[in-house]
Amino acid sequence: MYYLLSGPQYPCRWIETFPFDRTLRWTMGARHTQPVPRPLEFTLSRLNPAFSDHGPRLPPYFLRGIPLFRDDLLDAMRRGGADNLDGYDAVIWDPDSGRRILDYKAINVLGLIAAADMSSSKARLNPGGALLDVEFDGLILDESRTYGALLFRLAEANSALLFHERLVEHLRASGFQDMSFLEPSRCAL
């Protein structure tokens, strides 16, 4: 069984700005062939208590723009067998405190796998066909096409990060109870 990684549990801080470079494609599942700036610079949004999803807590990961995983989460993922993660130095600036946060890495997840069972999934195909940007209202995976990968990007909707249940269980046992995993058949992506 696979689970979709969803945004972190709220309330927490959010990434407001992230670096953008057209030559660096973070959702294609392939190694970068162009130089990656070091460090990559990100900025948190200002803490706004008027919003119920804002809070002072820094989550173990951010997914907006470029995935950011905290170092301890990245270490736990690697201990759990995820060996397809390229990490890049990142700096997150907190405009409220002026602090520079250095314990996150920008993550390029390697592996783009076409594993959607298109005949069983609830999906709307875009003009380009069944690759990269299919809109799913319920994703059914053909697990025979995943080849047992512990973590991968879905080729049919490449912003989706799918985690094998073995890796999810390992992360929970490692103390990462605040990660949000969803059953793909029960969510839209």
Side-chain angles (χ1 to χ4, degrees):
M1 170 101 188
Y2 285 88
Y3 294 93
L4 175 71
L5 179 64
S6 183
Q9 291 183 1
Y10 308 111
C12 66
R13 297 300 296 269
W14 288 77
I15 294 294
E16 179 74 22
T17 62
F18 55 90
F20 178 76
D21 181 334
R22 288 184 199 278
T23 65
L24 299 173
R25 307 281 309 269
W26 294 87
T27 59
M28 298 308 292
R31 291 194 192 280
H32 295 306
T33 58
Q34 301 296 319
V36 177
R38 292 190 184 226
L40 290 159
E41 297 185 11
F42 299 79
T43 304
L44 290 173
S45 59
R46 290 197 174 273
L47 188 56
N48 187 339
F51 297 126
S52 62
D53 60 354
H54 280 227
R57 181 181 68 84
L58 286 171
Y61 62 99
F62 297 95
L63 295 178
R64 183 173 181 257
I66 298 170
L68 288 167
F69 293 167
R70 202 171 56 213
D71 290 343
D72 58 339
L73 172 59
L74 187 56
D75 290 343
M77 290 173 69
R78 287 182 172 143
R79 281 192 316 276
D83 59 0
N84 58 333
L85 302 165
D86 276 352
Y88 298 88
D89 292 335
V91 173
I92 305 172
W93 181 67
D94 182 346
D96 292 329
S97 69
R99 181 171 71 119
R100 292 170 43 95
I101 302 158
L102 304 173
D103 60 344
Y104 285 80
K105 297 283 186 283
I107 300 300
N108 186 18
V109 176
L110 305 176
L112 192 65
I113 299 176
D117 180 341
M118 296 304 292
S119 63
S120 299
S121 296
K122 295 177 189 169
R124 287 184 303 281
L125 295 182
N126 293 306
L131 273 181
L132 303 180
D133 63 353
V134 173
E135 296 176 32
F136 289 96
D137 288 325
L139 168 65
I140 305 298
L141 291 174
D142 178 347
E143 292 195 24
S144 70
R145 293 189 217 160
T146 67
Y147 305 102
L150 293 179
L151 167 64
F152 65 94
R153 284 192 176 280
L154 182 66
E156 295 86 352
N158 64 336
S159 62
L161 293 176
L162 291 160
F163 284 61
H164 191 279
E165 65 185 323
R166 194 171 83 223
L167 184 56
V168 171
E169 289 168 5
H170 170 77
L171 293 172
R172 297 233 188 273
S174 298
F176 293 96
Q177 302 295 324
D178 56 350
M179 294 183 73
S180 296
F181 292 102
L182 305 173
E183 285 187 43
S185 63
R186 297 179 181 218
C187 60
L189 60 132

